[in-house]
Amino acid sequence: GQQVMQIPQYQHVQEGEDFTTYCNSSTTLSNIQWYKQRPGGHPVFLIQLVKSGEVKKQKRLTFQFGEAKKNSSLHITATQTTDVGTYFCAGGGSARQLTFGSGTQLTVLP
Amino acid sequence: DAGITQSPRHKVTETGTPVTLRCHQTENHRYMYWYRQDPGHGLRLIHYSYGVKDTDKGEVSDGYSVSRSKTEDFLLTLESATSSQTSVYFCAISEFRAGGGGTDTQYFGPGTRLTVL
């Protein structure tokens, strides 16, 4: 079945530093979605990418979808303490299901 | 946040006992999902439903069953709980949009923390 790998599993950064998490799928995806989960909370949808090579920005967050639609990345510029949490990518296949990556837990040190 | 509630929010039970978790939505969305979340594994799909009485298995369905008799309720049952089923369980909903391409955004409930002793 479809597998989605995400790295790194953990990342500690100083406030103000940049952060990137990467996602790779074993199969071509119809779309990729990103979610954020704050400590003790539930996953919350951030964005969906559908097109090959697509790049979307949300303030300090930049999301990319690879040309082959098998990989994606999330980059945060100048991290803030409010960015703390676990970021998940989720790949969409042919059915109404998502395959989630294992997540990257971001810690921002003040 | 989408209108999704889960009950109970916390439960401690003993090995071998049956457990039922409830997910209730007020959004009238067609699709509902049950995930479990464990450290290092992200979110893994247990079962999902695409309509009343229409369900299908996910990646980790062994030891779990589901039922959906009404649009708003999706029940997850552990017939005989085991310690390996200690986890945080999330319910999610989504509404496919015609022409949207692929899966749609999923909205998650607050989760149920289940401990099996």
Side-chain angles (χ1 to χ4, degrees):
Chain A
Q2 182 174 282
Q3 292 187 347
V4 176
M5 307 299 293
Q6 190 173 353
I7 57 169
Q9 187 172 358
Y10 302 96
Q11 185 78 58
H12 292 72
V13 299
Q14 289 290 141
E15 189 173 14
E17 292 182 339
D18 292 355
F19 159 77
T20 304
T21 174
Y22 302 90
C23 204
N24 282 286
S25 171
S26 58
T27 58
T28 301
L29 301 169
S30 61
N31 71 85
I32 193 138
Q33 300 182 25
W34 285 91
Y35 292 78
K36 177 183 178 180
Q37 184 177 21
R38 295 184 186 275
H42 58 275
V44 174
F45 173 77
L46 293 176
I47 206 161
Q48 175 175 289
L49 305 172
V50 180
K51 299 176 183 177
S52 170
E54 189 170 13
V55 178
K56 287 188 176 181
K57 292 189 176 183
Q58 288 181 349
K59 296 183 180 178
R60 295 178 294 103
L61 279 61
T62 302
F63 304 84
Q64 296 187 349
F65 200 10
E67 295 289 343
K69 300 183 75 172
K70 295 181 72 173
N71 60 77
S72 181
S73 65
L74 158 60
H75 180 82
I76 302 178
T77 302
T79 54
Q80 300 175 359
T81 55
T82 54
D83 296 324
V84 165
T86 301
Y87 293 84
F88 292 97
C89 61
S94 57
R96 303 286 172 256
Q97 300 176 38
L98 294 175
T99 302
F100 281 81
S102 54
T104 296
Q105 185 175 320
L106 174 64
T107 300
V108 179
L109 305 171
Chain B
D1 285 345
I4 312 169
T5 56
Q6 292 185 231
S7 59
R9 294 293 313 280
H10 302 271
K11 186 171 182 65
V12 179
T13 191
E14 293 187 351
T15 298
T17 59
V19 176
T20 295
L21 308 183
R22 179 183 184 234
C23 178
H24 179 78
Q25 60 144 330
T26 58
E27 305 296 323
N28 201 35
H29 282 8
R30 179 181 175 190
Y31 291 89
M32 298 185 76
Y33 308 82
W34 276 108
Y35 293 92
R36 61 176 290 173
Q37 184 174 36
D38 305 289
H41 290 278
L43 292 153
R44 292 182 291 175
L45 182 65
I46 305 171
H47 281 280
Y48 69 102
S49 170
Y50 46 96
V52 173
K53 298 185 179 179
D54 291 324
T55 65
D56 207 348
K57 295 179 179 180
E59 175 190 358
V60 291
S61 59
D62 287 349
Y64 301 94
S65 62
V66 290
S67 65
R68 192 170 179 197
S69 59
K70 298 184 290 185
T71 299
E72 57 267 34
D73 289 324
F74 193 31
L75 303 180
L76 177 70
T77 298
L78 291 66
E79 299 291 346
S80 178
T82 67
S83 58
S84 65
Q85 293 176 313
T86 293
S87 187
V88 178
Y89 291 85
F90 285 101
C91 173
I93 64 175
S94 74
E95 183 72 299
F96 172 64
R97 289 191 290 266
T103 52
D104 203 359
T105 301
Q106 292 192 10
Y107 300 94
F108 286 80
T112 294
R113 184 172 295 276
L114 175 68
T115 301
V116 183
L117 302 175

